[in-house]
Amino acid sequence: MRRWLAWLAEPTLVRRSTWSVLLAFVVVWMVLLGYNYALNRHALATGPNLQKFGHALAGALAEIDDVDQVRATLAASARWIN
C-alpha cells in the first residue's frame, strides 16, 4: 500500500497531465451540468406564462377581421417582447 501511495505521489509529467485533464473534464462537466439545470429551471418558470401569452394573443387576433390590423398588432407585440 505504501509503495502504491508513493507511486501516486511521485510528481511525473505524465501523471500531472493525466490528473490535470481529468480535473479539467470534471470542472467543465460540472459547469455544463449547472448551466443545464439553470436553463431548465428558467424554461419551467417561464414556459406556462409564455403559453398563456400565446393563447391570449391568438384569441385577441382571432377577433380582428382586418388583416392589416393583425399585422400591426403582431409587429407591436414583437417590439414589446424584444
Side-chain angles (χ1 to χ4, degrees):
M1 180 76 168
R2 286 181 192 242
R3 187 181 300 172
W4 188 75
L5 289 174
W7 179 79
L8 271 179
E10 187 180 332
T12 65
L13 185 59
V14 172
R15 225 168 276 121
R16 283 186 193 164
S17 297
T18 304
W19 286 109
S20 298
V21 169
L22 182 62
L23 180 64
F25 174 79
V26 169
V27 168
V28 168
W29 181 74
M30 288 174 54
V31 168
L32 289 175
L33 191 64
Y35 174 74
N36 195 20
Y37 176 75
L39 190 65
N40 284 340
R41 282 187 54 116
H42 178 71
L44 289 174
T46 59
N49 294 333
L50 290 176
Q51 290 174 355
K52 287 179 187 176
F53 175 75
H55 290 302
L57 182 62
L61 293 177
E63 296 176 6
I64 301 174
D65 294 330
D66 186 19
V67 176
D68 292 329
Q69 190 177 2
V70 170
R71 286 186 187 133
T73 304
L74 286 175
S77 298
R79 280 193 303 270
W80 181 77
I81 291 171
N82 290 335

